[in-house]
């Protein structure tokens, strides 16, 4: 799936976790509050970490800088919520960003669909010892030629599932690229080679993760409802 994130910490907690300024929280208080479910298909604004010393807020759904007009931008954005790490360097949508414009998407967990018998059931997946962890992402800035307005957008990067994915019988054998904490700032370095980048696009260690089933109506609830991540 890789389209449903959870970011249930506040802006000041993100600022502390990533050693970034939190001035932007005054503008985006609703975004930088507890968001137990962030649905990519709503094209939401999300807190993002870049080389900047401040937390950024970008739109989910990457628009490359070379896109000509708004209609083309919206068409591409719907198809650029995430990208596979194994083909990212051969995809025109993403190749420019992956070399120079990498980012971190903060997360407290994410949702994936699995199967119990014939039933489709959602799972909440998280890291055992990291209350906030980082999903690898890329970003870009598209300039609307009619208005001159700049629009920052991002996509997450996926990799093949680890053994945890097999345990919950996932429908889609993919997971987001989760970075080791000590590799986060390294990932943001615009001077990395293609080989350096590819070395990080691997499944996270399954023994450091866990998952449990949540209610199937989690997508119908308000994003700020803590019952979204309650265990069933």
């Amino acid at each position: 799936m890789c389209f449903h994130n959870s970011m249930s910490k506040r802006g000041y907690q993100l600022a502390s976790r990533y050693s970034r300024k939190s001035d932007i929280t005054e503008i985006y208080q609703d975004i930088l509050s507890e968001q137990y479910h962030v649905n990519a298909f709503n094209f939401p604004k999300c807190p993002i970490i870049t080389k900047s010393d401040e937390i950024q807020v970008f739109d989910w759904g990457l628009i490359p800088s070379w896109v000509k007009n708004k209609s083309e931008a919206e068409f591409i954005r719907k198809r650029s919520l995430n990208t596979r790490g194994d083909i990212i360097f051969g995809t025109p949508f993403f190749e420019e960003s992956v070399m120079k414009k990498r980012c971190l998407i903060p997360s407290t967990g994410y949702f994936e669909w699995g199967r119990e018998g014939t039933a489709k059931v959602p799972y909440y997946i998280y890291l055992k010892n990291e209350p906030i962890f980082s999903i690898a992402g890329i970003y870009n800035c598209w300039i609307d030629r009619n208005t001159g307005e700049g629009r920052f957008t991002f996509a997450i990067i996926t990799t093949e599932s680890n053994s945890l994915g097999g345990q919950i019988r996932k429908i889609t054998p993919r997971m987001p690229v989760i970075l080791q904490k000590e590799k986060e700032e390294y990932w943001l370095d615009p001077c990395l080679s293609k080989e350096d980048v590819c070395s990080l696009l691997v499944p996270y260690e399954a023994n450091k993760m866990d998952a449990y089933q949540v209610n199937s109506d989690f997508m119908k609830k308000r994003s700020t409802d803590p019952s979204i991540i309650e265990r069933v």
Side-chain angles (χ1 to χ4, degrees):
M1 186 190 300
C2 305
F3 297 117
H4 299 270
N5 192 27
S6 183
M7 185 58 251
S8 58
K9 301 296 183 182
R10 293 182 176 272
Y12 74 88
Q13 293 171 301
L14 285 181
S16 175
R17 165 65 171 77
Y18 292 100
S19 301
R20 297 301 199 269
K21 296 177 183 178
S22 58
D23 300 349
I24 202 167
T25 58
E26 295 182 7
I27 303 173
Y28 294 105
Q29 289 185 13
D30 55 334
I31 296 167
L32 296 173
S33 62
E34 296 96 334
Q35 298 288 319
Y36 293 92
H37 174 219
V38 183
N39 186 344
F41 296 106
N42 293 332
F43 308 105
K45 293 184 180 295
C46 301
I48 298 295
I49 306 300
T50 66
K51 290 294 286 184
S52 171
D53 63 356
E54 293 187 38
I55 297 172
Q56 306 294 300
V57 173
F58 296 168
D59 296 333
W60 196 342
L62 189 133
I63 303 172
S65 61
W66 45 260
V67 170
K68 296 178 181 179
N69 54 58
K70 190 172 183 178
S71 61
E72 184 180 7
E74 292 304 320
F75 178 83
I76 290 175
R77 184 186 186 194
K78 294 175 183 177
R79 291 155 179 78
S80 303
L81 297 169
N82 61 34
T83 176
R84 293 171 59 111
D86 54 344
I87 63 171
I88 195 169
F89 282 99
T91 307
F93 287 3
F94 308 117
E95 199 158 9
E96 173 192 359
S97 295
V98 73
M99 285 309 300
K100 297 295 182 183
K101 297 174 182 176
R102 293 181 296 276
C103 62
L104 308 174
I105 297 94
S107 179
T108 49
Y110 63 96
F111 303 87
E112 293 285 1
W113 292 100
R115 290 197 183 278
E116 293 290 338
T118 59
K120 181 180 174 183
V121 295
Y123 286 84
Y124 179 70
I125 304 172
Y126 63 98
L127 269 57
K128 294 177 181 177
N129 298 311
E130 293 288 347
I132 301 173
F133 58 91
S134 298
I135 295 172
I138 54 177
Y139 72 95
N140 214 322
C141 181
W142 174 68
I143 306 296
D144 187 325
R145 298 180 184 179
N146 291 325
T147 66
E149 178 185 2
R151 188 173 181 184
F152 282 89
T153 58
F154 75 93
I156 70 169
I157 304 175
T158 70
T159 185
E160 61 187 17
S161 289
N162 57 22
S163 59
L164 180 69
Q167 293 171 26
I168 64 174
R169 298 184 62 198
K170 288 172 60 177
I171 293 174
T172 304
R174 306 291 299 173
M175 66 179 291
V177 172
I178 299 172
L179 296 165
Q180 301 285 347
K181 191 173 182 179
E182 63 272 17
K183 293 291 187 179
E184 291 170 351
E185 294 296 335
Y186 180 68
W187 170 256
L188 299 178
D189 184 351
C191 296
L192 295 187
S193 68
K194 178 180 177 180
E195 291 72 24
D196 293 333
V197 172
C198 288
S199 71
L200 298 173
L201 303 181
V202 296
Y204 199 78
E205 298 168 83
N207 64 348
K208 295 182 179 180
M209 302 177 68
D210 208 346
Y212 58 82
Q213 189 177 334
V214 296
N215 280 303
S216 57
D217 65 350
F218 79 98
M219 289 195 294
K220 298 178 182 179
K221 297 178 179 179
R222 291 176 60 86
S223 63
T224 53
D225 185 345
S227 71
I228 286 172
I229 59 172
E230 286 180 355
R231 188 188 300 261
V232 298

